[in-house]
Amino acid sequence: MTHNFSVSPDFNPSHISGWYIFNTWLQRAISENIHLELYNDFESHRNAIATDQLDLIYANPYDAALLVRDKGFVPVACPENRSDEAIIAVNKESPLVNIEALSEGTRISSTDDPDVRMMCMIMLEPAGLDKNNTALNQRDTYVLVAKDLLKNDADIGFFLEETYNDLSEIIRGQLRPLVQSEIHVIHHLLLAGPKLASKRDEIQQSLLSMSDDEKGKGVLKSLNFQGWSAVEQEDTEFMIDLMDTLTE
Amino acid sequence: MKDMNPDDISGEYREHTLTYQDGTQRKVLVTENETPLPDGRLIVSRTDLNGIITEVNQSFVEMSAYHKDELIGMPHYILRHPDMPAAAFKGLWETVQKREKWHGYVKNLRKDGGFYWVYATVIANIRNNEIVGFTSVRRKPSRIKVTEAEALYQTL
């Protein structure tokens, strides 16, 4: 029996090979056949979730609620010392110095990454801005969001912190963070579906000991992870409650 | 709960005696010093069914000016500011008991007598179909909303 594994489409493109290396490592570690399917957009990924095609998901916090509460997924682990934070950035030459300086009609460039968009829209609230008094350009990638800022086609851009920091130095050098979230308790996590639930503890143990050997260390490096931390049901329920308070 | 200590207060203060919903009374000392919630921060806490604080994040600790161990085990109303009318919290309990979200603009009292405004959301934590506690997340409100809330609360 082959299980299907997927990664939230906000993965960093430079880590694609890392996820394939991780999948090969995981199959050996737990003696199961696992097929990795990477989706380019959130809509295709959501469809795969809705039609129960996935058994293992490295999920963003937004999808975790649906997966745990409606689809019976169980939490396994999350990357060590890494939380999901968002950055609202501007062109380096922009006169904007803080959120309160933004006004109605602000042009936003953003991907369709749901948790980044949610965090950034919350960070706009002190300026009295919301989806009804701003203009949103949706782009396929964070690089295109950055280009909107460079060409002055947008006043502000929404980024996942990790992705912002991974932009090339040439691009990043022409941008400036206006505000950065400091939430600390929202993060991606690996979730096992009902067909893999019996393997949950085994997967968790394998991940927690990943940094104990050279091969595991190499896999972690390819994902730019320091290691994995165990995540228990209540940890995830807490994060989902928190996400619940932030969604409309 | 102990009365507020004048030694903890920064600057001139006025004195109030608050009576909480459980009948407890406390003398609070209040200044006009506002500490705005920094951009990008969320204040997070959890309470048990009786409103006793069980968890707080670092932003909660910093904004309240208490130490974490002074907060855990205390009623959430330790932050209650005398300018907040009881009517502003009307419906909070009924709403969360119905498993719905409660939202409101809240002026919170700091240990040093100062205050900070937040937009608060409270939800019930439901486990195995039972309410086991509550999560509250507070974020930075717009100044316009704060001004509106101040005007409204003076009429209540």
Side-chain angles (χ1 to χ4, degrees), chain A residues 170-182:
Chain A
I170 294 174
I171 292 181
R172 201 154 24 95
Q174 298 174 74
L175 303 177
R176 171 166 53 85
L178 188 65
V179 63
Q180 179 163 2
S181 72
E182 291 181 56

Side-chain angles (χ1 to χ4, degrees), chain A residues 125 182 234 241 244-245 247, chain B residues 40 46 101 125 127 139:
Chain A
E125 287 174 352
E182 291 181 56
E234 184 51 33
D241 281 339
D244 239 3
T245 68
T247 50
Chain B
R46 296 174 93 181
K101 279 181 224 177
N125 306 135
R127 306 287 183 268
R139 53 217 226 203

Side-chain angles (χ1 to χ4, degrees), chain A residues 64-243:
Chain A
L66 168 78
L67 290 164
V68 170
R69 294 202 171 153
D70 297 342
K71 294 285 184 183
F73 276 67
V74 289
V76 181
C78 66
E80 212 172 279
N81 299 325
R82 179 185 298 210
S83 58
D84 284 9
E85 304 292 352
I87 287 178
I88 297 179
V90 295
N91 186 308
K92 194 178 174 186
E93 307 300 329
S94 166
L96 295 166
V97 289
N98 56 37
I99 287 294
E100 273 94 346
L102 293 167
S103 55
E104 288 191 9
T106 291
R107 298 168 304 155
I108 301 167
S109 183
S110 168
T111 66
D112 62 349
D113 191 335
D115 51 331
V116 170
R117 193 180 289 185
M118 180 193 73
M119 287 190 276
C120 289
M121 289 309 291
I122 287 172
M123 290 197 285
L124 292 183
E125 287 174 352
L129 298 182
D130 57 37
K131 64 183 180 190
N132 298 316
N133 59 13
T134 51
L136 183 79
N137 293 327
Q138 186 169 304
R139 301 296 183 206
D140 288 338
T141 66
Y142 285 108
V143 171
L144 293 176
V145 171
K147 283 186 176 164
D148 275 346
L149 295 177
L150 298 185
K151 291 189 292 178
N152 285 316
D153 286 339
D155 303 308
I156 55 174
F158 293 172
F159 295 88
L160 185 67
E161 180 191 25
E162 179 194 348
T163 317
Y164 182 85
N165 291 331
D166 280 341
L167 290 170
S168 73
E169 274 183 41
I170 294 174
I171 292 181
R172 201 154 24 95
Q174 298 174 74
L175 303 177
R176 171 166 53 85
L178 188 65
V179 63
Q180 179 163 2
S181 72
E182 291 181 56
I183 299 175
H184 303 301
V185 284
I186 295 178
H187 51 76
H188 279 53
L189 73 170
L190 189 73
L191 296 164
K195 286 183 205 159
L196 266 179
S198 61
K199 285 271 181 181
R200 184 251 180 203
D201 291 351
E202 194 181 335
I203 299 171
Q204 189 182 65
Q205 279 312 311
S206 301
L207 295 178
L208 296 184
S209 55
M210 210 169 163
S211 51
D212 293 348
D213 64 72
E214 286 310 312
K215 209 171 251 179
K217 277 183 195 163
V219 178
L220 288 168
K221 196 176 171 192
S222 68
L223 291 172
N224 198 24
F225 286 2
Q226 291 175 21
W228 292 90
S229 300
V231 180
E232 302 306 331
Q233 189 73 22
E234 184 51 33
D235 303 328
T236 310
E237 294 282 357
F238 173 49
M239 187 178 81
I240 294 171
D241 281 339
L242 200 152
M243 293 294 289

